């Protein structure tokens, strides 16, 4: 029987005794402390001397930080599948993806009946378990429209709201021995959970064959199903007598064939002995992992294969067979559970052929090396929403950095911080707050670090502290040829210059270093005004912003008439100074911008006004947008904007203040050269309105000077000069020829290299 290639999972099978509950939890905590992966527990609700397993799983998950937890196995007749699914998903969400579902048909049918449960005969158990798996997965499928309805032979769900959605793809491992149960495992399960001492009838090889044949009949591949093994009555001795009774080296020698010849990849030891658990974790585990890795390298064994449902949906544009073995567990393809979570951006629906989820810079190197030879579009996505839509594609590869999201304060005294690109700015603000630090980043906490920190960063603190990129002091990047580099003013300074404004064209940034600045509370005022006289409101707001002290930055969202309401302007003002009287003097005049419909004011920590909501990206937002910059909010510009917003063709226009500290930076210090404009302008609409959007934008365009790449969905190469006015563009084209001559990174408004 072959090695199916799954990564090893090592853990414990702990007795959930109610006679000494503290010890039960301590054994679970020890499991984590010795670097084992998972703690599992029996589930026999009819036993008064056992803790309720689900309550215990919840408690253990709360007491640990890395450890996965599972029943070994859940007694299905006493846990209705619809509620079991909801409880499992809830625990998975609360534990941040650390729950797995061991599931069984339930033994001791007399005890089950005595407790009011639904005991089944063997044949009925298989059917009941199959129905239960279907219900559980339907409950987890929160993306499916409409309520769950199920009318089966053993279970009925008249109508039930789906969800919550698990934090990860929960594995369903079936505890089974009989042929009919093994066939069900091959058809429906993610794993087969058995016990070594009970593997007599059918034999080990026979059981694998039944599972494999059933999987193939279902259109699945056998390698999709993990094989797990409980090891009972084990121990360590110096004599070495008996199976799994000798010293750690003997354990490795005996377990290795179970991996390589019999396909098992998970071992759970059933001894409530701290010494046995510690030795298994600290001595056997590392040695066994190393031995398996050596054997797999020597034989060229690749990681576990994907199911046929995935194979059927693959794009022919991608050569999956040359995907590095170490990357196969980090990719998602059409048909995989979890693919729906990563295929879209915030604003644009996508259908990539492959999404590679990188966990570190080495993963990025492997992803870039593989992707650049596939002759398809390569999109790079950080952790945020991406208005431009360029962080996804159709039929290409997405390099997803959302798992690279660490935030570190390197020196609180100087404000030096290190942030990975997959973090979201709301999380950054929250992490910096205890140190009294902040970093301007935008107006929304779900914006990702990577996209914003390579293009600009016009935030609520821009007029006082400048753009986000003004504070970047170094970056770590993987360039097109796969090299990892650190860039700053002394290491590859030209590349460092280009990254700050045009970074998406030159590689994948895997970390940024920035100088944050001291900041505590800010005053935030939100005013909604009647903007029927749109041009008047715009010019007055623009004048006030330019005349305001640097401590004040402002954004305005202009919304068209809706359901009888007038054109409205939602003005956000953030004052970052610590003088209350000065703040009032700066903020109060804005109440005269137009007829006030609503106002709110608060003094709050900066992180509170950019709090992340951790939204999923489902391609729901503004499908097309145009971006530009204004030196000043002139009357002519305001009148053109009024015509556009009153036409009904525009969904929203947004204006962000610059000036102040943004203008302090010399225009040649980095690729962002817009150091005289006072306002960024965004106009967005739905796909059906694009021709009208361009018509309105065309009237405003002659009055604009500049463009912000992150807000532009158009791809007209002529607009590169708007984003990078000469001599910036010429310099960027030369650098593109040096660092990415084959245009591997061509999706972020591609800069063509100098021939």
């Amino acid at each position: 029987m072959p090695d199916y290639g799954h990564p090893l999972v090592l853990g414990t099978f702990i007795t959930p005794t109610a006679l000494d509950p503290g010890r039960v939890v301590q054994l679970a905590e020890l499991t984590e402390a010795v670097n084992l992966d998972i703690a599992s527990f029996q589930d026999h609700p009819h036993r008064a001397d056992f803790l309720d397993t689900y309550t215990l799983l919840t408690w253990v998950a709360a007491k640990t930080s890395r450890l996965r937890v599972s029943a070994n196995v859940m007694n299905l007749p006493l846990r209705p599948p619809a509620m079991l699914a909801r409880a499992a998903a809830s625990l998975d969400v609360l534990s941040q993806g650390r729950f797995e579902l061991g599931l069984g048909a339930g033994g001791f049918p007399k005890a089950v009946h005595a407790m009011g449960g639904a005991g089944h005969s063997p044949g009925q158990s298989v059917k009941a378990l199959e129905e239960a798996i279907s219900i559980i997965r339907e409950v987890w499928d929160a993306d499916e429209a409409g309520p769950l309805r199920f009318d089966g032979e053993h279970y009925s769900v008249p109508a039930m709201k789906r969800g919550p959605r698990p934090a990860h793809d929960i594995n369903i491992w079936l505890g089974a021995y009989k042929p009919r149960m093994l066939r069900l495992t091959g058809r429906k399960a993610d794993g087969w959970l058995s016990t070594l001492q009970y593997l007599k009838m059918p034999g080990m090889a026979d059981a694998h064959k039944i599972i494999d044949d059933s999987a193939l009949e279902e259109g699945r591949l056998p390698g999709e199903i993990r094989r797990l093994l409980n090891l009972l009555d084990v121990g360590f001795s110096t004599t070495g007598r008996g199976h799994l009774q000798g010293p750690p080296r003997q354990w490795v020698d005996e377990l290795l064939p179970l991996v390589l010849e019999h396909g098992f990849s998970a071992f759970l030891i059933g001894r409530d002995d701290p010494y046995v658990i510690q030795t298994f974790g600290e001595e056997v585990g590392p040695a066994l992992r190393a031995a398996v890795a050596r054997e797999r390298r020597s034989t060229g064994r690749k990681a576990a294969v994907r199911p046929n449902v995935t194979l059927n949906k693959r794009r022919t544009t991608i050569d999956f067979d040359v995907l590095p073995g170490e990357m196969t567990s980090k990719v998602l393809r059409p048909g995989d559970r979890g693919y729906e979570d990563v295929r879209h951006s915030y604003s644009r629906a996508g259908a990539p052929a492959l999404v590679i989820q990188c966990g570190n810079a080495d993963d990025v190197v492997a992803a870039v090396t593989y992707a650049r030879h596939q002759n398809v579009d390569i999109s790079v996505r950080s952790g945020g929403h991406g208005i431009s839509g360029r962080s996804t594609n159709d039929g290409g590869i997405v390099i997803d950095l959302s798992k690279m999201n660490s935030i570190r304060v390197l020196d609180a005294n100087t404000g030096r911080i290190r942030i990975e690109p997959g973090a979201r700015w709301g999380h950054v603000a929250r992490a910096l707050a205890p140190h009294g630090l902040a970093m301007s980043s935008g107006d929304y906490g779900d914006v990702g670090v990577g996209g914003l920190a390579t293009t600009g960063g016009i935030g609520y603190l821009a007029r006082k502290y400048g753009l986000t990129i003004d504070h970047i002091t170094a970056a770590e990047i993987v360039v097109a040829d796969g090299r990892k580099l650190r860039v700053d003013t002394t290491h590859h300074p030209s590349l460092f210059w280009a990254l700050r404004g045009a970074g998406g064209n030159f590689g994948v940034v895997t970390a940024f270093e920035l100088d944050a600045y001291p900041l505590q509370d800010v005053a935030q005022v939100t005013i909604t005004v009647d903007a029927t006289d749109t041009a008047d409101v715009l010019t007055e707001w623009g004048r006030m912003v330019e005349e305001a002290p640097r401590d004040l930055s402002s954004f305005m969202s202009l919304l068209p008439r809706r359901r009888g309401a007038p054109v409205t302007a939602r003005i956000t003002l953030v004052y970052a100074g610590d003088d209350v009287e000065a703040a009032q003097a700066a903020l109060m005049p804005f109440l005269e911008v137009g007829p006030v419909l609503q106002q709110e004011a608060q003094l709050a920590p900066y992180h509170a006004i950019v709090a992340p909501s951790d939204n999923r990206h489902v391609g729901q937002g503004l499908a097309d947008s145009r971006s530009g910059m204004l030196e000043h909010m002139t009357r002519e510009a305001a009148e053109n904007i009024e015509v556009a917003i009153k036409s009904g063709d525009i969904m929203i226009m947004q204006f962000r203040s610059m000036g102040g500290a943004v203008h302090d930076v010399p225009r040649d210090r980095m690729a962002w050269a817009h150091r005289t404009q006072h306002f960024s302008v965004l106009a967005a609409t739905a796909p059906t309105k694009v021709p009208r959007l361009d018509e309105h934008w065309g009237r405003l365009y002659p009055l604009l000077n500049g463009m912000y790449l992150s807000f532009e969905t158009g791809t007209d190469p002529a607009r590169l000069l708007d984003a990078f006015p000469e001599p910036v563009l010429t310099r960027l084209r030369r650098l593109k020829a040096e660092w990415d001559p084959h245009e591997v990174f061509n999706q972020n408004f591609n800069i063509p290299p100098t021939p």
Side-chain angles (χ1 to χ4, degrees):
M1 188 59 58
D3 171 16
Y4 295 101
H6 292 277
L8 287 187
V9 170
L10 306 177
T12 52
F13 183 16
I14 301 169
T15 307
T17 176
L19 303 178
D20 193 355
R23 178 179 169 81
V24 175
V25 178
Q26 288 172 358
L27 292 175
E29 292 175 319
L30 177 63
T31 302
E32 179 175 67
V34 298
N35 294 316
L36 293 173
D37 305 302
I38 188 168
S40 65
F41 305 90
Q42 303 174 49
D43 183 37
H44 295 304
H46 59 280
R47 289 191 54 166
D49 60 333
F50 275 10
L51 297 164
D52 173 66
T53 299
Y54 208 92
T55 305
L56 175 60
L57 290 170
T58 305
W59 185 263
V60 169
K63 298 280 282 184
T64 55
S65 60
R66 178 189 56 80
L67 190 71
R68 293 154 69 184
V69 296
S70 176
N72 194 344
V73 291
M74 282 288 178
N75 191 315
L76 180 63
L78 292 174
R79 301 189 186 274
M83 294 311 299
L84 174 59
R86 181 158 288 177
S90 299
L91 179 51
D92 196 56
V93 169
L94 291 169
S95 67
Q96 298 181 321
R98 294 189 286 125
F99 176 80
E100 308 295 356
L101 182 56
L103 194 60
F108 308 101
K110 291 182 179 179
V112 169
H113 279 300
M115 297 181 69
H120 305 291
S121 67
Q124 290 177 318
S125 295
V126 175
K127 181 62 176 175
L129 194 53
E130 186 164 11
E131 290 182 7
I133 293 172
S134 297
I135 292 170
I136 289 167
R137 288 197 168 128
E138 287 286 338
V139 171
W140 292 342
D141 190 6
D143 295 325
E144 183 69 23
L148 165 61
R149 292 183 171 88
F150 189 91
D151 186 14
E153 181 180 336
H154 298 277
Y155 297 105
S156 177
V157 182
M160 175 183 178
K161 288 188 176 181
R162 302 170 190 268
R165 210 164 170 285
H168 87 302
D169 290 334
I170 297 175
N171 289 286
I172 296 179
W173 299 328
L174 294 189
Y177 298 97
K178 300 296 184 181
R180 281 177 292 192
M181 282 292 191
L182 294 173
R183 284 193 286 271
L184 174 61
T185 302
R187 292 198 306 274
K188 295 290 186 181
D190 301 300
W192 173 43
L193 178 56
S194 58
T195 300
L196 181 61
Q197 285 76 0
Y198 301 160
L199 276 178
K200 297 176 181 179
M201 290 298 294
M204 193 180 293
D206 292 338
H208 283 305
K209 187 176 188 308
I210 293 171
I211 293 171
D212 293 351
D213 290 347
S214 178
L216 291 169
E217 290 171 5
E218 189 71 13
R220 309 174 72 194
L221 296 179
E224 183 183 351
I225 303 157
R226 179 185 283 277
R227 321 298 161 112
L228 306 95
L229 198 59
N230 291 320
L231 308 173
L232 308 182
D233 302 323
V234 297
F236 294 99
S237 70
T238 57
T239 64
R241 296 174 182 172
H243 187 60
L244 295 176
Q245 293 292 326
R249 182 67 257 174
Q250 178 178 316
W251 277 51
V252 175
D253 293 340
E254 293 180 0
L255 292 176
L256 190 59
L258 291 173
V259 178
L260 302 177
E261 299 171 17
H262 298 284
F264 290 98
S265 59
F267 300 103
L268 309 174
I269 56 170
R271 274 288 297 276
D272 299 335
D273 184 332
Y275 173 72
V276 172
I277 293 172
Q278 183 171 357
T279 306
F280 186 61
E282 294 182 347
E283 298 186 45
V284 176
L288 180 61
R289 293 182 200 276
V292 170
R294 283 195 303 271
E295 291 295 327
R296 286 176 174 173
R297 283 196 301 269
S298 67
T299 60
R301 178 64 188 169
K302 292 186 177 182
V305 296
R306 292 276 168 161
N308 263 1
V309 65
T310 298
L311 295 172
N312 293 337
K313 294 183 179 181
R314 288 178 175 179
R315 304 295 187 94
T316 57
T317 52
I318 299 288
D319 185 356
F320 294 97
D321 293 332
V322 298
L323 185 70
E326 68 273 14
M327 296 300 294
T328 55
S329 63
K330 300 177 181 181
V331 302
L332 291 169
R333 313 170 193 175
D336 287 347
R337 291 197 305 276
Y339 174 77
E340 290 297 320
D341 291 345
V342 296
R343 63 183 291 194
H344 306 302
S345 71
Y346 171 80
S347 59
R348 186 65 57 89
L354 185 69
V355 178
I356 305 176
Q357 294 189 295
C358 298
N360 53 49
D362 290 336
D363 288 349
V364 175
V365 171
V368 169
T369 302
Y370 167 76
R372 73 183 183 216
H373 296 298
Q374 295 305 304
N375 196 31
V376 296
D377 291 341
I378 302 171
S379 299
V380 181
R381 178 167 58 228
S382 61
H385 57 338
I387 288 178
S388 71
R390 298 190 187 97
S391 55
T392 190
N393 57 54
D394 187 4
I397 293 172
V398 171
I399 299 176
D400 186 334
L401 310 177
S402 59
K403 294 182 180 297
M404 298 174 60
N405 56 18
S406 74
I407 304 162
R408 293 170 53 200
V409 177
L410 303 177
D411 188 337
N413 293 325
T414 63
R416 191 162 64 95
I417 62 176
R418 182 182 186 274
I419 316 173
E420 289 186 337
R424 301 190 185 193
W425 283 108
H427 294 296
V428 174
R430 191 164 60 195
L432 298 184
H435 304 278
L437 299 172
M439 174 58 59
S440 183
S441 58
D443 63 336
Y444 184 50
D446 269 359
V447 172
V449 166
L452 181 142
T454 52
T455 50
I458 309 171
Y460 279 151
L461 308 174
R463 295 186 74 246
K464 182 167 186 176
Y465 294 108
L467 306 172
T468 307
I469 58 174
D470 296 343
H471 297 273
I472 296 176
T473 58
E476 298 162 25
I477 184 173
V478 175
V479 292
D481 62 10
R483 284 181 292 162
K484 291 189 294 184
L485 303 175
R486 177 184 172 85
V487 298
D488 53 33
T489 54
T490 57
H491 301 86
H492 309 290
S494 292
L495 181 56
F496 183 53
W497 173 88
L499 287 185
R500 292 171 292 167
N505 264 276
F506 292 91
V508 182
V509 178
T510 57
F512 300 89
E513 289 183 15
L514 304 94
D515 284 339
Y517 31 77
L519 185 69
Q520 296 293 337
D521 292 348
V522 298
Q524 182 190 37
V525 175
T526 303
I527 307 170
T528 303
V529 304
D530 182 333
T532 300
D533 298 325
T534 310
D536 292 342
V537 169
L538 285 168
T539 53
E540 186 66 5
W541 171 79
R543 179 189 64 79
M544 289 184 177
V545 168
E546 289 195 41
E547 294 177 356
R550 289 182 171 215
D551 291 322
L552 185 142
S553 297
S554 182
F555 287 21
M556 176 195 285
S557 295
L558 195 62
L559 302 171
R561 297 185 183 95
R562 290 175 181 168
R563 299 176 182 175
V567 175
T568 55
R570 189 174 187 271
I571 301 169
T572 301
L573 304 155
V574 175
Y575 187 89
D578 54 8
D579 186 327
V580 175
E581 291 185 1
Q584 290 177 334
L587 295 167
M588 289 297 291
F590 285 87
L591 293 172
E592 305 300 322
V593 166
V596 175
L597 302 175
Q598 186 177 354
Q599 61 174 305
E600 297 176 3
Q602 63 173 334
L603 186 67
Y606 173 69
H607 70 88
I609 69 172
V610 289
S613 54
D614 295 323
N615 287 329
R616 289 180 58 235
H617 303 143
V618 293
Q620 68 201 1
L622 308 172
D624 289 276
S625 62
R626 298 292 176 264
S627 170
M629 295 181 185
L630 286 167
E631 295 285 337
H632 306 283
M633 186 63 74
T634 64
R635 185 74 191 184
E636 184 180 6
E639 289 175 351
N640 275 283
I641 293 167
E642 179 170 356
V643 171
I645 201 68
K646 289 183 175 180
S647 69
D649 300 322
I650 309 294
M651 290 176 61
I652 187 173
M653 295 190 75
Q654 189 180 66
F655 309 88
R656 300 174 173 226
S657 64
M658 295 189 290
V662 178
H663 290 180
D664 292 344
V665 179
R667 70 188 308 269
D668 61 352
R669 181 172 293 177
M670 58 192 71
W672 173 288
H674 310 297
R675 301 295 177 174
T676 60
Q677 300 90 330
H678 281 87
F679 302 101
S680 166
V681 183
L682 162 74
T685 191
T688 57
K689 301 287 188 179
V690 173
R692 298 301 304 275
L693 172 62
D694 288 337
E695 178 184 327
H696 295 295
W697 193 255
R699 287 193 292 270
L700 182 62
Y701 182 74
L703 307 176
L704 300 173
N705 177 20
M707 186 258 278
Y708 188 22
L709 283 176
S710 292
F711 290 164
E712 175 66 47
T713 59
T715 55
D716 182 356
R719 297 221 59 202
L720 280 172
L721 277 170
D722 294 333
F724 308 113
E726 293 292 10
V728 175
L729 183 57
T730 294
R731 183 177 178 184
L732 287 171
R733 292 188 66 193
R734 290 172 181 161
L735 288 169
K736 184 76 169 178
E738 177 182 352
W739 292 101
D740 186 16
H742 302 295
E743 300 178 85
V744 172
F745 302 108
N746 62 5
Q747 294 300 296
N748 192 20
F749 217 124
N750 186 45
I751 298 172
T754 299

